[in-house]
Amino acid sequence: MRVIAGDFKGRPLKSVPTHQTRPTTDKVKEAVFHGIGPFFEGGRALDLFAGSGGLGIEALSRGVESCVFVDQQHKAISTIHENIELLKLKDRTEVFRTDAKRAMKAAGKRGLTFDYIFLDPPYKKFSYAELMEALIEHGLLADGATVVCEHDASEEIPEAVGHLERQKTDSYGSNIGVSIFK
């Protein structure tokens, strides 16, 4: 696993040492960022179900100003901290060990908004509609925000949730789908 492009291009990232996470492949990561960027001039990202932090770190490498990482697994949080230290990104990041719903509620209470939100939960265990409804309910979407959902390719993804509309869905291999909402 590595950073694909930007300031940290080619730098290796540590993976979570457990079978409970599924890292986003380089091919999918590259496609995601070409679909939403590929480079940015600032902005704030939220990497929910962050695992190793690969999506948020890729966003930071490509110009996003700051990122909040959330995961509830201890090993994932440790790996995110290691990757942040490795790339010297501590001053541009926050890391929280909690579940996604609590994290969204806490971020809303702090008045945080995000330009780029990455949702990559365990496949078929969360409702993307409910996750996006919570983003809206807690006021976490900046004007023009982009929400990237990585999901099982067979999973039904809504056309719209509130004011978020699906822009496109692509499949990678037989089981990975990525849907982008704005």
Side-chain angles (χ1 to χ4, degrees):
M1 206 168 60
R2 65 190 172 91
V3 179
I4 304 297
D7 294 341
F8 307 110
K9 180 180 179 177
R11 298 284 300 273
L13 296 174
K14 294 183 182 274
S15 319
V16 180
T18 177
H19 295 294
Q20 293 179 321
T21 63
R22 171 196 28 76
T24 301
T25 66
D26 288 354
K27 176 184 173 184
V28 172
K29 198 184 322 182
E30 188 163 8
V32 163
F33 283 93
H34 279 286
I36 65 169
F39 294 94
F40 312 101
E41 293 184 20
R44 187 171 179 88
L46 173 62
D47 191 351
L48 281 175
F49 310 96
S52 66
L55 290 171
I57 289 170
E58 187 73 32
L60 290 164
S61 181
R62 292 172 182 251
V64 167
E65 185 178 323
S66 63
C67 185
V68 174
F69 297 89
V70 176
D71 204 294
Q72 62 183 14
Q73 292 183 49
H74 174 72
K75 288 181 180 179
I77 293 299
S78 294
T79 303
I80 293 166
H81 281 295
E82 287 180 48
N83 285 328
I84 287 169
E85 288 293 323
L86 187 71
L87 299 173
K88 298 178 179 27
L89 289 168
K90 194 168 182 133
D91 62 330
R92 297 171 57 194
T93 61
E94 290 183 75
V95 182
F96 296 101
R97 182 178 178 209
T98 188
D99 67 76
K101 291 183 180 182
R102 279 191 185 151
M104 288 187 280
K105 185 175 181 180
K109 285 183 178 180
R110 288 176 55 196
L112 299 178
T113 60
F114 301 95
D115 302 284
Y116 307 98
I117 299 169
F118 302 99
L119 301 177
D120 187 10
Y123 289 175
K124 297 185 177 183
K125 294 197 176 175
F126 286 84
S127 161
Y128 289 89
E130 287 177 16
L131 289 169
M132 288 186 278
E133 286 168 0
L135 292 170
I136 294 166
E137 176 188 334
H138 297 298
L140 302 180
L141 301 170
D143 289 341
T146 299
V147 179
V148 176
C149 303
E150 187 175 332
H151 52 84
D152 187 284
S154 67
E155 203 164 345
E156 288 293 320
I157 302 299
E159 290 289 327
V161 177
H163 63 277
L164 287 170
E165 293 184 9
R166 184 167 47 151
Q167 305 296 300
K168 68 179 190 169
T169 296
D170 292 313
S171 293
Y172 303 93
S174 61
N175 67 333
I176 299 172
V178 174
S179 296
I180 299 174
F181 290 78
K182 286 193 172 279

